[in-house]
Amino acid sequence: MTRTLPYWHVDAFASRPFEGNQAAVMPLDEWLADDVLQAIGEENNFAETAFVVPDVSGEADWELRWFTPTEEVRLCGHATLASGHVLLTRDGGERVTLRTRKAGVLEVSKAGDGYELALPAIPTSRGEWDEAVALLGAKPQEVWLNPEGYGIYLFETEEQVRALDPDLRGLRALGNDQFICTAPGSDTDIVSRVFVPGGGVDEDSFTGSAHACLTHFWANRLGRDSFTAFQASQRGGHATCRLEGDKAILGGPCVTVVEGSFYLP
């Protein structure tokens, strides 16, 4: 017997369709088996599919999990923003909280014509990873690393970041790390490109978790708590970034592209 599941296709950190990062959002009554969730993520073939179910623990409004086409991830920003957009659009309200398995309780709130997403700020420290640097296609000025698999590669100019042509096959062999290449921007305060080939996403369109890392890094470097950001992928995505204590607050709009049903045999 075929089962019908609600399905939303949302462009997050986008003011119109075909920008920002695509996410599928699927509100469920209860969790499906993990292999089924993964199969749906593979079928949707977006950087992430977000699944939410009502949180019966009382800690948050909803539980939230994210799946790439190949694996479950511990933190995804753009699909969290998309989930907040879906739930607040469908159910009303000004804010929604989402309990995750490895990233704590996250929050999405309305802010003007868009939303703000509160993520844990991800600190990095100065480091070296010569094997990764050799695969990026250009040598960064500095390398900053976090042991959870986030790496910031600082370049001098936006042009250098835009011109990168990394060896994706080589980066994939290094594991499921985010290779976050960044520089001061021309039209925005900072610019970035993010490569995650080990996680099934060669170049991400817009990466919220990477900006939780960039918010901590650039706030300290710029000497101020807020700035504007552009991820220079093929689709492109804009965000405002603000550091509040141990939280990175990312702001941006969302656009619903498709609302329909997923048919599960």
Side-chain angles (χ1 to χ4, degrees), residues 24-170:
V25 179
M26 300 182 65
L28 306 174
D29 294 329
E30 59 184 6
W31 289 119
L32 305 172
D34 285 4
D35 62 334
V36 176
L37 297 176
Q38 184 61 72
I40 293 172
E42 181 181 6
E43 181 70 19
N44 288 335
N45 201 33
F46 293 142
E48 261 85 17
T49 296
F51 299 95
V52 294
V53 303
D55 185 10
V56 297
S57 74
E59 293 183 50
D61 301 314
W62 296 83
E63 289 185 75
L64 169 64
R65 297 172 70 184
W66 314 272
F67 287 78
T68 76
T70 61
E71 64 184 10
E72 185 173 7
V73 298
R74 65 182 305 276
L75 177 63
C76 175
H78 85 275
T80 303
L81 193 78
S83 298
H85 164 73
V86 167
L87 295 170
L88 292 172
T89 298
R90 189 190 70 171
D91 302 336
E94 295 296 317
R95 61 186 286 273
V96 63
T97 54
L98 305 116
R99 181 168 62 89
T100 70
R101 300 197 169 191
K102 295 184 178 181
V105 175
L106 310 180
E107 180 179 317
V108 178
S109 57
K110 290 184 177 179
D113 294 331
Y115 304 91
E116 286 192 333
L117 165 65
L119 296 177
I122 301 172
T124 54
S125 57
R126 189 73 178 268
E128 296 180 0
W129 195 359
D130 293 342
E131 190 175 6
V133 167
L135 297 168
L136 291 177
K139 186 175 181 179
Q141 291 180 310
E142 300 174 13
V143 177
W144 292 70
L145 302 173
N146 177 286
E148 295 294 334
Y150 300 92
I152 290 180
Y153 301 84
L154 176 66
F155 290 85
E156 184 177 359
T157 68
E158 178 175 332
E159 290 72 22
Q160 289 175 309
V161 171
R162 288 181 177 272
L164 290 174
D165 186 17
D167 180 346
L168 296 171
R169 183 175 180 180

Side-chain angles (χ1 to χ4, degrees), residues 215 218-220 222-227 241-245 249:
T215 297
W218 279 108
N220 290 322
L222 294 172
R224 49 192 169 91
D225 291 339
S226 62
F227 56 89
C241 303
R242 185 172 75 254
L243 186 65
E244 289 189 359
I249 312 298

Side-chain angles (χ1 to χ4, degrees), residues 3 16 20 34 76 89 110 112 120 151 168 171 175 177-178 183 196 209 236 241 250 260 262:
R3 184 176 179 183
R16 61 181 181 178
D34 285 4
C76 175
T89 298
K110 290 184 177 179
L168 296 171
L171 292 177
D177 283 73
Q178 287 190 10
V196 202
S209 57
C241 303
L250 310 181
F262 188 104

